[in-house]
Amino acid sequence: MDEKIFHELISPAHTKIVLMIMDGLGGLPLEPGGKTELEAARTPNLDALAAQSILGLTEPVGTGITVESGPGHLAIFGYNAFEHRIGRGVLEAVGVGIDLEPSDIAIRGNYATVDAAGVVTDRRAGRICNDISKELSKLLSTCIGDIEFQVETVREHRLAIVMRGPGMSASVTSSDPLKNGYAPLAIRPLAPEAEKTANAINQFIERSCRVMESYTPRPPANMLLLRGIDHYPDFPLFPDLFGVRAAAIAIYPTYRGIAKLVGMQVLQVEGNTFVDEFQTLEKHWNDFDFFYLHIKDTDLAGEDGDFDRKVKIIETVDQLMPRLLALHPDVLIVGGDHSTPALLKGHSWHPVPTLIYSNCVRADNIAEFGERACSRGSLGVVPAKSIMPLALANAGRIMKWGG
Amino acid sequence: MDEKIFHELISPAHTKIVLMIMDGLGGLPLEPGGKTELEAARTPNLDALAAQSILGLTEPVGTGITVESGPGHLAIFGYNAFEHRIGRGVLEAVGVGIDLEPSDIAIRGNYATVDAAGVVTDRRAGRICNDISKELSKLLSTCIGDIEFQVETVREHRLAIVMRGPGMSASVTSSDPLKNGYAPLAIRPLAPEAEKTANAINQFIERSCRVMESYTPRPPANMLLLRGIDHYPDFPLFPDLFGVRAAAIAIYPTYRGIAKLVGMQVLQVEGNTFVDEFQTLEKHWNDFDFFYLHIKDTDLAGEDGDFDRKVKIIETVDQLMPRLLALHPDVLIVGGDHSTPALLKGHSWHPVPTLIYSNCVRADNIAEFGERACSRGSLGVVPAKSIMPLALANAGRIMKWGG
């Protein structure tokens, strides 16, 4: 594990690091020869910062690989995202704000529809409306023996289910056939110690079906499909690994959850915009020496295919930069967890523009923050996990290595 | 081991390679927007050479890691410096010019002061003056049973101690508590075969204390603290690995020592300036086909925080370049083992500007040798250990690989 060498060399210092992640920051031009969202945005503050920074592009886990938020964030947090995985069930659970305990098992679920023969006709139960979904989830939460099942609607048919109780193991199969036209599968244990867990889940599914059947009016859902059955991830904790008192500032539960899983202290944000996040940063500036600041809106605009909105959001963030710089961070990283080009309406594999500013960075003297500007930077195209070591080095927090 | 693939492909050729290492070459601007030492220096010869070279930047062992001279040199010599380590004791011993034998054990030591209760009050014995330190070291050199202890002052309180004798093992603990306020620790064996070694060292420390006590006038030192207790490193030898008759030209003992550890023939330099080193290169030009030429002064100026002096040294080296080029090396590498920016007054993690010249290099056509110029070069930012394979390829010494 690469992280370990840094852990050994960590030395304390009175320096502050800010890692500002604009989710899905990287983009693409809408037309050949055009500008990306970031290039099209008027960003005088980020451009001025770029002039005093090293520039480059980050790849979350590997060339050509498009990542979900989980590994994208783990990578930019300095982890080898291939070695350290957050299961989909866990990500779903933390995404709805469930406070997971290490012995919990988390499951990603769907409300689905099966026909009289028990064959899945709609894996999404007609995208069941949120109200009914939430009502059902309340009714489905129950205990099977000494195992408690907490069911939470993510949205529409999507569920996060958490199992809490003694003697469990996540070594079980899924029930989701992943396609319409097939019957759900019974959950099977993959190891002797998982027998209790598999039995409990099967009983829970049976009970859930009965509850849905007796619900009035008859809901479009009459089956649960479960997959991503995971235990709590066992990560080396970020504050230990890198010797920082780390705070996370994020409005969205998923990112609050990931930050918590790696051991950051998740701060309460008053309000629900990224402007409020900047205020939270100011408020807690003296309490921590590392801040992860997450801006979700860039990704949402990209997912919606809304190039202009993504440009506007970047411009608004740019206008907030003087507030951040007024705090005089010793090291400031501006980057992203992955690209989300409006052109593709989704995450993509394209490397993510990144700048690292400090007073001892060997600046590239490129006064522009954009994909092509960053590709001329001295950082090059680097694995996202190499950003934290560089940040720590620039913060005077890594001792000399002697061999 | 990466090096092995090259070893398999090595083929002899009548070509000559010069690896010129300007120690701590990489720098930083003193002010944002300014020039680095190398950029500020007037270097018409290096600039002209750069125009015919590929340019890039090297990282000794990893992004963000600041290295000591040992791993910095092993990396630029083509070794994986994480796998092949030179212990601190060995580095200290070769640094004072001790001709280590493979069965020796080398130790890094300190003269220290302890109080009546045996607690360390000053790990550096008031930075004891060189004269007394050297006088004491002579008196402390002794034999314990069949083991000879050679004690040499590095400077002030710092010592290199070499143990020579049969049946030793370096698997022992240190005696240095590393902080004032603690008592020295007894040396303990970490393996049965190290018992004799541990006993000998403990007896040696006891005897040393008695010698210091009876010395008149009473010296500030009354204790030895020992750490970095290492055996001789077991490296694949550079000449075998890369199929070259390799000579090292270096004035400073540390670099002569490292070169010797990897199997280079260390040439005698008449004089003690790098001008004399160039003369040595000329004198031995016909005797070897690989020359490691080490220039220490750039690093010393950087360590002293003397930007202008570092600039001047680089300019002086530049003026010597025509003498080197007049020898018509087939491959010439100009680079460094690490950065030592005057701004930071010490080694740093910043990548090191590097050029590779040969008559079959695909030149970048950048007529400038400097950090930012190199960051535009086609070599990119590369691990230092990839320089030797490139040098060998350019020297026509690597066969085609078929799979």
Side-chain angles (χ1 to χ4, degrees):
Chain A
M1 186 174 92
D2 278 341
E3 299 97 86
K4 274 197 181 143
I5 178 72
F6 291 101
H7 179 59
E8 284 169 23
L9 298 175
I10 287 303
S11 118
H14 294 287
T15 48
K16 286 182 192 287
I17 302 172
V18 175
L19 173 66
M20 184 171 104
I21 295 302
M22 296 165 83
D23 204 302
L25 177 61
L28 283 174
L30 291 180
E31 285 165 14
K35 291 182 171 186
T36 68
E37 296 90 324
L38 179 58
E39 289 168 349
R42 224 185 72 80
T43 54
N45 295 304
L46 286 167
D47 293 346
L49 188 65
Q52 299 179 57
S53 302
I54 47 169
L55 306 182
L57 295 152
T58 57
E59 289 188 327
V61 303
T63 302
I65 299 181
T66 299
V67 295
E68 298 270 11
S69 303
H73 266 80
L74 285 184
I76 199 79
F77 287 163
Y79 291 85
N80 181 333
F82 274 112
E83 268 184 36
H84 301 296
R85 303 202 179 185
I86 305 179
R88 295 301 307 173
V90 170
L91 207 58
E92 209 73 279
V94 301
V96 294
I98 296 175
D99 207 1
L100 281 184
E101 289 176 12
S103 61
D104 291 348
I105 283 176
I107 304 173
R108 188 180 203 181
N110 269 22
Y111 282 119
T113 317
V114 294
D115 63 17
V119 168
V120 177
T121 55
D122 186 349
R123 283 188 64 252
R124 298 191 178 92
R127 291 194 179 274
I128 183 170
C129 78
N130 280 325
D131 288 350
I132 299 180
S133 178
K134 285 181 183 172
E135 184 62 29
L136 282 177
S137 294
K138 255 183 234 166
L139 297 171
L140 262 45
S141 295
T142 187
C143 282
I144 303 288
D146 56 2
I147 299 176
E148 185 193 334
F149 285 77
Q150 182 183 351
V151 184
E152 298 285 345
T153 293
V154 176
R155 62 182 150 73
E156 301 170 345
H157 57 283
R158 281 175 57 189
L159 301 174
I161 302 169
V162 170
M163 299 172 68
R164 185 165 292 170
M168 295 196 297
S169 159
S171 293
V172 297
T173 60
S174 299
S175 82
D176 190 341
L178 297 174
K179 273 185 184 174
N180 292 338
Y182 294 86
L185 309 157
I187 303 280
R188 283 181 297 107
L190 294 168
E193 67 270 22
E195 215 160 296
K196 174 182 172 180
T197 313
N199 288 338
I201 300 177
N202 285 324
Q203 288 177 50
F204 164 73
I205 294 173
E206 270 180 51
R207 179 191 175 277
S208 297
C209 291
R210 288 198 305 275
V211 170
M212 289 185 274
E213 220 163 282
S214 61
Y215 185 88
T216 341
R218 184 69 73 89
N222 59 3
M223 176 50 72
L224 284 187
L225 300 178
L226 307 187
R227 60 194 164 114
I229 304 175
D230 304 308
H231 56 71
Y232 195 89
D234 182 24
F235 292 151
L237 295 184
F238 185 91
D240 299 341
L241 208 49
F242 299 124
V244 286
R245 287 172 301 148
I249 303 174
I251 297 163
Y252 273 67
T254 299
Y255 309 93
R256 299 172 67 81
I258 296 170
K260 184 164 173 275
L261 287 177
V262 300
M264 293 185 192
Q265 187 162 331
V266 181
L267 302 181
Q268 212 50 52
V269 179
E270 315 226 336
N272 53 16
T273 70
F274 57 79
V275 183
D276 303 314
E277 293 183 328
F278 276 75
Q279 196 158 4
T280 307
L281 177 70
E282 289 162 342
K283 184 175 161 190
H284 291 277
W285 185 249
N286 294 323
D287 308 333
F288 299 90
D289 49 17
F290 177 93
F291 295 89
Y292 152 58
L293 178 65
H294 180 258
I295 290 158
K296 177 66 178 171
D297 304 52
T298 30
D299 180 57
L300 296 174
E303 294 261 10
D304 289 347
D306 193 336
F307 188 98
D308 293 341
R309 195 172 104 227
K310 193 170 165 192
V311 169
K312 281 250 155 49
I313 292 159
I314 293 169
E315 290 179 343
T316 309
V317 172
D318 183 77
Q319 286 156 26
L320 290 165
M321 291 310 291
R323 281 177 63 176
L324 201 166
L325 293 169
L327 298 168
H328 300 295
D330 296 282
V331 180
L332 170 57
I333 302 139
V334 181
D337 54 345
H338 53 72
S339 290
T340 308
L343 179 72
L344 302 180
K345 295 187 183 179
H347 294 196
S348 79
W349 64 92
H350 302 85
V352 187
T354 302
L355 67 77
I356 303 179
Y357 160 83
S358 88
N359 66 4
C360 56
V361 91
R362 190 189 284 151
D364 289 321
N365 299 337
I366 298 173
E368 188 194 339
F369 188 48
E371 283 82 349
R372 267 66 71 97
C374 286
S375 82
R376 299 195 307 272
S378 60
L379 193 57
V381 180
V382 294
K385 78 186 174 77
S386 65
I387 296 300
M388 268 308 295
L390 260 181
L392 292 165
N394 275 281
R397 287 168 171 273
I398 301 189
M399 288 185 294
K400 195 155 58 171
W401 186 69
Chain B
M1 185 173 92
D2 279 341
E3 300 96 86
K4 275 197 181 145
I5 178 70
F6 291 101
H7 178 60
E8 286 168 22
L9 298 176
I10 288 304
S11 120
H14 294 288
T15 48
K16 286 183 190 289
I17 302 171
V18 176
L19 172 66
M20 184 171 104
I21 295 302
M22 296 166 83
D23 204 301
L25 176 61
L28 282 175
L30 290 181
E31 285 165 15
K35 291 183 172 185
T36 67
E37 297 89 325
L38 180 59
E39 289 168 348
R42 223 185 74 80
T43 54
N45 295 303
L46 285 167
D47 293 347
L49 188 65
Q52 299 178 58
S53 303
I54 49 169
L55 305 182
L57 296 152
T58 57
E59 289 188 326
V61 302
T63 302
I65 298 182
T66 299
V67 294
E68 299 268 12
S69 303
H73 266 81
L74 285 184
I76 199 80
F77 287 164
Y79 291 85
N80 180 332
F82 274 111
E83 270 183 34
H84 302 294
R85 303 197 181 189
I86 305 179
R88 295 302 307 174
V90 170
L91 208 57
E92 209 73 280
V94 300
V96 293
I98 297 175
D99 207 1
L100 281 184
E101 289 177 14
S103 60
D104 291 349
I105 283 177
I107 304 174
R108 188 180 203 180
N110 268 22
Y111 282 118
T113 317
V114 294
D115 64 16
V119 168
V120 177
T121 55
D122 186 347
R123 282 187 65 252
R124 298 191 177 92
R127 290 192 180 275
I128 183 170
C129 79
N130 280 324
D131 289 349
I132 299 180
S133 178
K134 285 180 184 174
E135 183 64 28
L136 283 176
S137 294
K138 255 182 236 169
L139 296 172
L140 262 45
S141 295
T142 187
C143 282
I144 304 287
D146 56 3
I147 299 177
E148 184 195 335
F149 284 78
Q150 180 183 353
V151 184
E152 299 284 345
T153 292
V154 176
R155 63 181 150 73
E156 300 170 345
H157 56 283
R158 280 176 58 188
L159 301 174
I161 303 170
V162 170
M163 298 171 71
R164 186 164 292 171
M168 294 195 299
S169 159
S171 292
V172 296
T173 60
S174 299
S175 82
D176 191 341
L178 297 174
K179 273 185 184 171
N180 293 337
Y182 295 86
L185 309 157
I187 304 280
R188 282 180 300 106
L190 294 168
E193 66 269 22
E195 215 160 294
K196 174 182 172 181
T197 313
N199 288 339
I201 300 177
N202 285 324
Q203 288 176 50
F204 164 72
I205 294 174
E206 271 181 52
R207 178 190 175 277
S208 297
C209 290
R210 286 198 306 274
V211 171
M212 288 186 274
E213 219 163 283
S214 60
Y215 185 88
T216 342
R218 182 69 72 90
N222 59 4
M223 177 50 71
L224 283 188
L225 300 177
L226 307 187
R227 60 192 164 114
I229 304 176
D230 304 308
H231 56 71
Y232 196 89
D234 181 25
F235 293 151
L237 295 184
F238 186 91
D240 299 340
L241 209 48
F242 299 125
V244 286
R245 287 172 300 147
I249 303 173
I251 297 163
Y252 273 67
T254 299
Y255 309 92
R256 298 172 67 82
I258 296 170
K260 182 163 174 277
L261 287 177
V262 300
M264 292 186 193
Q265 185 163 332
V266 181
L267 302 181
Q268 210 51 51
V269 179
E270 314 226 338
N272 54 16
T273 70
F274 57 79
V275 183
D276 303 314
E277 293 183 328
F278 277 75
Q279 195 158 6
T280 307
L281 177 70
E282 289 162 342
K283 184 175 163 191
H284 291 277
W285 186 249
N286 293 324
D287 308 334
F288 298 91
D289 51 16
F290 178 93
F291 295 89
Y292 153 57
L293 177 65
H294 179 257
I295 291 157
K296 176 66 178 172
D297 304 52
T298 30
D299 180 58
L300 296 175
E303 294 261 9
D304 288 347
D306 194 336
F307 188 98
D308 294 341
R309 195 172 104 226
K310 193 170 165 192
V311 170
K312 281 250 154 48
I313 292 160
I314 294 168
E315 290 179 343
T316 309
V317 172
D318 183 77
Q319 286 156 28
L320 291 165
M321 291 309 291
R323 282 177 64 176
L324 201 166
L325 293 169
L327 299 168
H328 300 294
D330 297 281
V331 180
L332 170 58
I333 301 140
V334 181
D337 53 344
H338 53 73
S339 290
T340 307
L343 179 73
L344 301 180
K345 295 186 183 182
H347 294 195
S348 80
W349 64 91
H350 300 87
V352 188
T354 303
L355 68 77
I356 303 179
Y357 161 82
S358 87
N359 66 3
C360 57
V361 92
R362 190 188 287 150
D364 289 321
N365 299 337
I366 298 173
E368 188 194 340
F369 189 49
E371 283 83 349
R372 266 64 74 97
C374 285
S375 85
R376 299 196 305 273
S378 60
L379 194 56
V381 180
V382 294
K385 77 185 175 79
S386 63
I387 296 300
M388 268 308 295
L390 262 179
L392 293 166
N394 275 281
R397 287 167 170 273
I398 301 191
M399 288 185 295
K400 197 153 56 173
W401 187 70

